[in-house]
Amino acid sequence: MLKILIICACVCNVFCYFTLLGKCPENLKVQEEFRLADFFGKWYQSYHYSSDGQSKNNCSVLELVTKPTGIYLNQSRIDRGLFQRYSMGKLEIPTKIEDAAKLDLTFVFDNAPRRLRTRRYPFYVMATNYNYYATIYTCEFSPLINKHFIYVWILSRNQILNDVSKDLAVKPLSQIGLDASKLTMDEFSKCNPKYYTDEPTEPMTFRYPVPI
Ligand SMILES: *[C@@H]1O[C@H](CO)[C@@H](O)[C@H](O)[C@H]1NC(C)=O
Ligand SMILES: *[C@@H]1O[C@H](CO)[C@@H](O)[C@H](O)[C@H]1NC(C)=O
């Protein structure tokens, strides 16, 4: 019985998460001559789009962190209005200069079966002017059901993104058929979590296991 329940839960996860038909969009135009060095510092998630319509956290902040083992993305947020948590994804830096904005993130899921422990996700900078806004895109494809999942971050150096920057940030999204009306605004007015987690936890943006 328990087994059946677990299987059902997994199937729902897959179907609820991957909702867009076919493969991930290809040949997306990304930021030209992207300069990673100028991308460091704090970014507030001012708007987002999640193709599964789920919203499980608030007050999300992204920041690159340099460690002896490489550059990591610290994704911190308040989960379900209660828990201040963060996850660390290792940044994989493209070798070709023309692909500089096509970053990847690798997460290690310690509790997952060995095959699914290390997972890599695209983290493409579609547009940024470094000082005000950045538009980031990720996509995951499930060959099993031939559907994909998309998440878009509209990041801002300030908690509130000005209108001009927002227009510029939204522009590249027409490539994937999104406009401003599909974005959800994130607020930073109520960021008082009850609990803090000191250790990195699993990311919530990248939920479904796709092995690399
Ligand atoms: C990640 O960011 C959060 C929030 O700013 C901070 O509390 C946490 O210490 C950071 N973690 C690392 C490893 O930098
Ligand atoms: C966002 O924060 C508010 C206020 O703390 C909380 O009531 C709400 O549940 C949070 N939403 C999510 C998706 O975490």
Side-chain angles (χ1 to χ4, degrees):
M1 184 62 192
L2 186 64
K3 211 167 182 179
I4 292 172
L5 278 180
I6 290 171
I7 290 170
C8 289
C10 290
V11 168
C12 179
N13 265 341
V14 177
F15 283 96
C16 306
Y17 186 69
F18 297 101
T19 55
L20 307 170
L21 198 63
K23 290 192 176 164
C24 288
E26 279 177 15
N27 303 321
L28 289 185
K29 269 195 71 185
V30 293
Q31 175 64 45
E32 282 175 19
E33 295 172 24
F34 176 67
R35 301 183 306 273
L36 186 63
D38 293 340
F39 198 75
F40 276 79
K42 231 179 209 180
W43 287 101
Y44 296 94
Q45 172 179 304
S46 59
Y47 295 85
H48 71 273
Y49 167 77
S50 186
S51 61
D52 65 354
Q54 293 239 37
S55 215
K56 294 189 171 169
N57 31 57
N58 284 323
C59 310
S60 176
V61 176
L62 273 59
E63 189 169 11
L64 296 181
V65 179
T66 307
K67 291 195 186 195
T69 47
I71 300 174
Y72 291 78
L73 180 79
N74 178 353
Q75 212 183 351
S76 73
R77 76 273 171 176
I78 298 176
D79 287 339
R80 301 193 174 85
L82 283 175
F83 307 92
Q84 166 82 55
R85 290 185 179 141
Y86 71 94
S87 6
M88 301 290 281
K90 188 165 193 278
L91 208 63
E92 307 291 341
I93 298 169
T95 45
K96 282 199 258 166
I97 194 116
E98 61 268 30
D99 287 338
K102 294 187 176 170
L103 304 165
D104 280 321
L105 284 179
T106 303
F107 288 95
V108 178
F109 295 74
D110 289 326
N111 299 324
R114 191 197 223 120
R115 192 173 64 85
L116 299 171
R117 205 160 285 169
T118 306
R119 301 178 207 161
R120 189 176 178 138
Y121 302 95
F123 191 75
Y124 288 3
V125 184
M126 296 181 89
T128 184
N129 66 356
Y130 308 98
N131 295 322
Y132 288 96
Y133 71 90
T135 309
I136 315 275
Y137 155 96
T138 193
C139 184
E140 270 176 83
F141 172 64
S142 166
L144 186 69
I145 59 170
N146 191 34
K147 285 188 176 172
H148 64 281
F149 165 80
I150 284 181
Y151 194 96
V152 171
W153 293 259
I154 304 286
L155 301 178
S156 171
R157 287 294 193 191
N158 303 300
Q159 290 187 352
I160 294 174
L161 188 65
N162 68 62
D163 289 342
V164 176
S165 296
K166 189 188 168 192
D167 288 346
L168 292 170
V170 170
K171 240 182 207 167
L173 298 179
S174 62
Q175 295 183 74
I176 52 171
L178 286 185
D179 59 47
S181 68
K182 299 228 176 83
L183 299 173
T184 305
M185 188 174 172
D186 289 273
E187 285 209 46
F188 288 85
S189 55
K190 289 186 219 134
C191 301
N192 302 309
K194 225 174 153 159
Y195 308 100
Y196 287 83
T197 313
D198 294 334
E199 291 288 304
T201 58
E202 296 189 355
M204 290 191 86
T205 321
F206 310 98
R207 288 187 303 275
Y208 188 72
V210 174
I212 58 171

